[in-house]
Amino acid sequence: MEDRLLARRAQHPGLKPNLRRRRGRIAIVTDSACALPVNRATGELELGVLGSSIECVPIPVMIDHPHHAAQIYPEASPELDRDLPLAVAAGTPVRTSRPSPGRLATAYRRLQKQGYAGIVSVHLSAKLSGTYDAVRLAAAEVDIPVVVVDTRQAGLAQGQAVLEAAITGRLGGTLQETAAAAERAAAATFTSFAVPSLEQLRRGGRINTLASILGSLLWIKPLLGLRNGEVALLETPRTWPRALERLEAVSLAAAAERTSPLIGVHTFGDYPTALRLAKAMEGVSAEPVPVLELPPGVAAHLGLGAVAVTVTAGT
């Protein structure tokens, strides 16, 4: 990530070598659906100097354990890493909740005390989560200017928008320019994914019941995508291998349509398949293709075995 910052900084020779704005600094706030690398011990983003201006607020995940009360987990915890796959495999109800407006407002005030002049808050699609509404409520409670961006994305598609905002702010962009950078990156991203079963999406209300029934009866392994912030059906392969083939094909086609495409691969519990997919697309990506576990708040809805690809236009 720092390499991208340094490359962009080289285009602005007048900037000081330390890349640090001393006045009018812009902070970035996001949520843990962004899939950016997190230190499991501290919960902080591992992005080097670029991460110093980004704060990531967790999306709570709740598992309704059968023999005791529902348990709420913070993201990026070893306990959730252990319990979520077991719960999804066993059919135990799993839910997600938006971050509280109070938690978000606290983050904004802390950044204000650190001397930031404004905040760009870049978040998971408003059509998939109540996070965007909570962010707007929190932004109205604080004195520091906050511009809220609905990426209409999730996972690394959202994360790329966060990174573009952070780079723009770091290199001297205004509050409006920084928000616009996030919006451009999100709009220039193609997100597609395949799931072995539609059941988790149905349970979470992300698709209708009829679609889930049809998928079960016809043995369809659908190819899905995010379109205008919602889960949309792209194709209807009948087998899982065919679904993965089509996932690779549509992702490569999306990469061919974009300048300097940045590709990322996600999975929940099927790392070998995701790694093979990443290697197949490495030759067309402007940067190495990361293979990332889906964030728990997203994995809870896609289910075990899900594989996703994001393709973002580079700058």
Side-chain angles (χ1 to χ4, degrees), residues 266-292:
H266 286 295
T267 186
F268 180 33
D270 192 357
Y271 187 83
T273 294
L275 183 60
R276 288 196 299 272
L277 193 58
K279 287 183 176 179
M281 295 187 291
E282 199 163 58
V284 300
S285 180
E287 294 181 358
V289 179
V291 177
L292 306 167

Side-chain angles (χ1 to χ4, degrees), residues 10 46 49 87 97 118 124 131 152 183 206 211 213 245 295:
E46 295 183 322
V49 66
S97 176
L124 172 67
T131 300
R152 299 189 177 187
E183 291 170 346
R206 270 60 183 183
I213 293 173
E245 288 176 7

Side-chain angles (χ1 to χ4, degrees), residues 99-296:
S100 72
R103 170 70 176 80
L104 289 156
T106 296
Y108 295 155
R109 293 189 180 104
R110 180 167 54 251
L111 291 166
Q112 184 177 21
K113 289 180 179 179
Q114 293 174 10
Y116 287 97
I119 296 169
V120 176
S121 217
V122 184
H123 295 280
L124 172 67
S125 172
K127 294 182 179 179
L128 299 177
S129 168
T131 300
Y132 180 78
D133 291 333
V135 170
R136 289 177 62 86
L137 290 172
E141 295 179 8
V142 297
D143 296 328
I144 185 171
V146 180
V147 177
V148 183
V149 175
D150 175 7
T151 64
R152 299 189 177 187
Q153 297 284 358
L156 193 56
Q158 173 188 339
Q160 295 287 13
V162 172
L163 292 175
E164 281 302 307
I167 290 171
T168 301
R170 192 81 183 179
L171 297 181
T174 65
L175 191 63
Q176 291 71 27
E177 289 167 344
T178 301
E183 291 170 346
R184 283 195 302 272
T189 297
F190 178 89
T191 301
S192 54
F193 52 97
V195 293
S197 169
L198 289 168
E199 184 59 21
Q200 287 299 118
L201 283 165
R202 185 194 65 78
R203 287 183 178 183
R206 270 60 183 183
I207 59 171
N208 60 47
T209 303
L210 179 60
S212 181
I213 293 173
L214 282 173
S216 299
L217 290 177
L218 301 178
W219 297 97
I220 289 172
K221 304 297 181 183
L223 182 65
L224 305 168
L226 289 181
R227 299 295 176 266
N228 296 317
E230 296 182 293
V231 176
L233 179 65
L234 303 184
E235 298 182 13
T236 55
R238 293 296 185 92
T239 68
W240 183 240
R242 181 59 177 165
L244 294 175
E245 288 176 7
R246 293 304 303 152
L247 176 60
E248 178 181 341
V250 299
S251 299
L252 288 172
E257 295 172 352
R258 287 162 171 78
T259 303
S260 301
L262 305 170
I263 300 176
V265 178
H266 286 295
T267 186
F268 180 33
D270 192 357
Y271 187 83
T273 294
L275 183 60
R276 288 196 299 272
L277 193 58
K279 287 183 176 179
M281 295 187 291
E282 199 163 58
V284 300
S285 180
E287 294 181 358
V289 179
V291 177
L292 306 167
E293 282 288 325
L294 282 164

